[in-house]
């Protein structure tokens, strides 16, 4: 069965550094998402992306965050200047249509020191 | 606005006994509801989905959930727990643009 793949599985970075989290969605899916889960907290929506632009974003997704689909397969989340509170598990997801279920990747654990 | 409350953060059952994971939701319109499961070091896997076709929804691995509008509940059940069911389970409601709102999760432990 097709899967959403995320790399790396674990990333450690220093505060203030830029980080890029990478995702390869399922190939025929058209909608892409990022969610995150801070340790001990709920999974939270960050952003959805369709047709090469952001469809929706949450209050968490401020100017420090950006998303991009640089080619036909990758979907990236960039954090420009990481803060300690950005430490979390980041999940990428994709769906075929706007209403079909999301398929999630295994996540990237980001640790900001 | 929508929200999801999972009533138990931890549930422990013995292998072979029934499983009940409770979920209540709040939504301003007719919601789509999901249960996802997360095994250690794995991603979120869809167990089942409710989208108003039938109130009793069957999912993978013998799980099912019943949508009760009058109680705003979507509890997850399984008749007989297996060791491999030990994982974290998330009740989720979908809003506009497929924005998901997650419950806090229930960690299911299965004792031999």
């Amino acid at each position: 069965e097709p899967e959403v793949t995320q790399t790396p599985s674990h990333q450690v970075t220093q505060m203030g550094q830029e980080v890029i989290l990478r995702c390869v969605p399922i190939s025929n899916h058209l909608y892409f998402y990022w969610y995150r889960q801070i340790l001990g907290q709920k999974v939270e929506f960050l952003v959805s992306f369709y047709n090469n632009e952001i469809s929706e974003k949450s209050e968490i997704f401020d100017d420090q965050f950006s998303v991009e689909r640089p080619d036909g397969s990758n979907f990236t989340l960039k954090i420009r200047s990481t803060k300690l509170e950005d430490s979390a598990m980041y999940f990428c997801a994709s769906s075929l249509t706007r209403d079909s279920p999301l398929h999630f990747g295994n996540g990237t654990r980001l640790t900001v020191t | 606005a929508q929200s999801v409350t999972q009533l138990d953060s931890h549930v422990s059952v013995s292998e072979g006994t029934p499983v009940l994971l409770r979920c209540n939701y709040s939504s301003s319109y007719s919601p789509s509801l999901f249960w996802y499961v997360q095994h250690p070091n794995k991603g979120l896997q869809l167990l089942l989905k409710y989208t108003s076709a039938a109130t009793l929804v069957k999912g993978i691995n013998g799980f099912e959930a019943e949508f009760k509008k009058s109680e705003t509940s979507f509890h997850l059940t399984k008749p007989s727990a297996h060791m491999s069911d030990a994982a974290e389970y998330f009740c989720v409601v979908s809003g506009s643009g497929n924005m998901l709102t997650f419950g806090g999760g229930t960690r299911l432990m299965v004792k031999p």
Side-chain angles (χ1 to χ4, degrees):
Chain A
E1 186 177 324
E3 290 184 341
V4 175
T5 56
Q6 291 185 243
T7 54
S9 57
H10 192 184
Q11 172 124 22
V12 181
T13 189
Q14 288 190 326
M15 196 167 52
Q17 295 296 305
E18 175 183 286
V19 67
I20 297 176
L21 309 183
R22 302 181 190 279
C23 170
V24 179
I26 294 174
S27 61
N28 64 335
H29 284 188
L30 301 176
Y31 294 78
F32 314 112
Y33 314 84
W34 285 100
Y35 284 77
R36 80 171 184 189
Q37 185 180 28
I38 294 171
L39 189 65
Q41 298 185 23
K42 292 186 178 184
V43 178
E44 304 171 289
F45 169 77
L46 292 179
V47 65
S48 60
F49 190 87
Y50 170 70
N51 200 25
N52 279 321
E53 60 183 31
I54 291 173
S55 311
E56 312 248 12
K57 61 181 181 178
S58 70
E59 291 176 354
I60 304 166
F61 195 87
D62 61 21
D63 291 345
Q64 291 299 308
F65 291 89
S66 62
V67 288
E68 193 178 29
R69 189 154 162 80
D71 52 42
S73 60
N74 290 284
F75 179 52
T76 61
L77 174 69
K78 182 195 290 188
I79 308 175
R80 273 183 250 290
S81 177
T82 49
K83 308 184 190 71
L84 293 176
E85 54 265 37
D86 293 327
S87 295
M89 179 73 90
Y90 288 80
F91 292 104
C92 174
S94 67
S95 65
L96 181 60
T97 70
R98 191 173 182 272
D99 298 317
S100 53
L102 273 61
H103 293 253
F104 285 86
N106 285 358
T108 293
R109 181 168 298 285
L110 176 66
T111 302
V112 182
T113 61
Chain B
Q2 54 201 29
S3 64
V4 180
T5 302
Q6 291 183 243
L7 297 157
D8 306 293
S9 59
H10 293 81
V11 168
S12 180
V13 301
S14 297
E15 191 174 20
T17 64
V19 175
L20 170 64
L21 305 183
R22 299 182 294 164
C23 171
N24 287 101
Y25 71 91
S26 169
S27 178
S28 54
Y29 47 85
S30 185
S32 290
L33 292 158
F34 308 83
W35 277 96
Y36 279 85
V37 61
Q38 185 180 27
H39 287 92
N41 301 314
K42 296 288 187 183
L44 295 154
Q45 180 186 18
L46 179 68
L47 267 183
L48 49 81
K49 171 184 177 181
Y50 166 78
T51 55
S52 78
T55 56
L56 185 62
V57 183
K58 293 191 185 301
I60 62 171
N61 300 337
F63 283 94
E64 60 183 39
E66 186 172 7
F67 174 73
K68 291 186 177 180
K69 187 175 181 179
S70 59
E71 298 176 10
T72 60
S73 69
F74 189 57
H75 301 335
L76 182 71
T77 59
K78 182 173 180 177
S80 176
H82 193 271
M83 294 297 291
S84 61
D85 295 327
E88 183 131 24
Y89 292 79
F90 294 93
C91 183
V92 180
V93 62
S94 177
S96 66
N98 228 346
M99 287 170 54
L100 305 183
T101 299
F102 281 73
T106 298
R107 184 164 298 280
L108 175 65
M109 293 167 283
V110 182
K111 298 174 290 189

